Amino acid sequence: MSPPNLSRREWLKRASLLGAAAPLGIASLPAIGQLGLQAPEQLIPREATPGLPAKLFAFDPSLYRFTADEDVFLDDIEQASFLYFWEQANPKTGQVEDRGSADGGALRNASSVAATGFGLTALCIAARRGWEEDTAVRDRVRITLDFALKNIQHQHGFLYHFISGETGQRLLNSEVSPIDTCLFLCGALTCRGFFDDKEIQGLATEFYERIDWTWVLHGGPTLAMGWLPEQGFLKSRWDTYSEMMMMYLLGFASRTHPLTPSMWNEWQRPRFEFDEIVYVGAHAPLFAHQFSHAWFNFRGMHDKYTDYFANSIVATRIHKMWCLELAQRFPDYADDLWGITASDSEHGYAIWGGPPAMGRIDGSIVPCAAGGSLVFMPKECIRVLQNIREKFGKRIWKKYGFVDAFNPLTGWASSDVLGIDAGITLLMAENARTGFVWEQFSKNPEVAKGMDLAGFQPNSKG
């Protein structure tokens, strides 16, 4: 195994350059009830999401409530995904492998700080649901945060994308990555919100306050995508809609090195159009509409530009429609089998998705495309995940849940699980069921502060 030759940031830069000229056009485990535990209370507000185009939606899909059987199924997914973060982390350092065999196995000693951020959040879910002993979970969180502060190479608080899980040293000539550091930070802050533990809270705070957000500006109005010791800052910037909203919001709220809130107006919000429906889009795979939403609850809120939660619902439905149009070329795509986002492929790590189409689409299915969209279209996304599990069985469902990707037309299936893909599925499944991650993350006062400084307001009712 090796992580992708290009970092996510590098391929996003290349995809953006290419896309700018294009026309707009993650064996069953016992459910929580079977463990004799009380399920978390329902936390999600039931108000409708305004602004959904009637042409696409006869009803607000995010208001759907899972049946008892569907809830058991999601619990299976969550527990299997969590097992990845529990077993595929170095027990001495807490750092999570970027990827691992879907059947389990020895650590490969190539960690991703982003995967560790998802893993920190997964530990909160596991503690809440009783999947591991509370003492063991807290110990893992402390080890992870302490190691990150003392041993992981960094520049001005920002971590390298790929590191050795054993030593914390940079791997694969990877970049110092603001977005991946922020994913780690979101996990740390979720732990700070959830655990009534002064040591954990102190470590998370120290990590946050060490980050010098202004350093990554490098004299510009937006954040640079990364920094390399061999060449300095990357020329590409976080200057257009993507998964990067979390960075600016947490940067605004920083106590030690804050960003200027007016920077919220400095990044572009491209208008995409599909079947005469206009929405804010990204020249990037579907996860661009998911990652910030895993921690920040944008539901019922808007800034002066748009309602990003409603926008992600629209983007997800349009992605499904686009996949169904591809059925003329790839007959496996169907109403209960769709979803393409950055993932493994038969030819290596692929940056694919759409619309507009990017990458060499070949009929592959990426389970985390639907898994990461469970909060937006729960009924349709869980139907996809159930169909994948029932139809393809042991070929695609392993120890850690779904393999990263598979192709029904050729019989190919990835042998691996990727941490960020298992992570987005786990977090969004929990949010779709209970809103738990949103609730714990929002206990950090910086969350509301960042959104307030960016100009977010509640949607009007009526």
Side-chain angles (χ1 to χ4, degrees), residues 398-446:
K398 308 280 186 179
K399 183 177 185 179
Y400 300 136
F402 294 113
V403 300
D404 194 58
F406 67 102
N407 191 322
L409 301 179
T410 66
W412 170 84
S414 173
S415 60
D416 282 354
V417 168
L418 270 64
I420 60 173
D421 294 348
I424 192 62
T425 299
L426 169 55
L427 271 59
M428 290 304 219
E430 186 61 41
N431 276 332
R433 298 169 73 194
T434 68
F436 172 76
V437 178
W438 290 332
E439 183 204 35
Q440 302 308 312
F441 186 69
S442 68
K443 289 180 179 179
N444 295 283
E446 295 90 349

Side-chain angles (χ1 to χ4, degrees), residues 143-260:
I143 288 169
T144 304
L145 294 175
D146 186 69
F147 184 85
L149 281 165
K150 296 178 180 178
N151 298 95
I152 297 182
Q153 284 185 300
H154 72 96
Q155 291 290 333
H156 298 264
F158 290 96
L159 309 181
Y160 283 95
H161 189 165
F162 298 114
I163 63 165
S164 163
E166 184 74 26
T167 68
Q169 299 299 297
R170 173 196 188 198
L171 288 183
L172 303 170
N173 296 317
S174 61
E175 81 284 13
V176 168
S177 174
I179 188 64
D180 293 286
T181 301
C182 193
L183 289 165
F184 186 102
L185 174 61
C186 285
L189 292 177
T190 308
C191 292
R192 189 176 80 170
F194 177 69
F195 292 103
D196 184 14
D197 185 303
K198 291 184 178 180
E199 184 179 358
I200 289 174
Q201 293 171 349
L203 290 168
T205 299
E206 183 179 354
F207 185 87
Y208 189 3
E209 295 187 347
R210 186 180 71 174
I211 297 173
D212 184 355
W213 301 89
T214 61
W215 174 71
V216 189
L217 291 173
H218 187 48
T222 55
L223 298 171
M225 278 195 177
W227 179 89
L228 290 165
E230 297 82 6
Q231 68 182 56
F233 284 98
L234 304 180
K235 293 182 179 179
S236 51
R237 288 186 172 266
W238 289 104
D239 57 4
T240 189
Y241 172 77
S242 64
E243 73 274 25
M244 55 73 172
M245 290 191 293
M246 64 180 87
M247 286 194 300
Y248 285 99
L249 295 174
L250 291 176
F252 297 158
S254 169
R255 187 185 69 85
T256 53
H257 306 284
L259 296 174
T260 303

Side-chain angles (χ1 to χ4, degrees), residues 80-96:
S81 298
F82 165 70
L83 193 61
Y84 174 85
F85 293 103
W86 188 251
E87 294 187 349
Q88 293 295 313
N90 188 304
K92 297 180 181 179
T93 71
Q95 306 309 304
V96 177

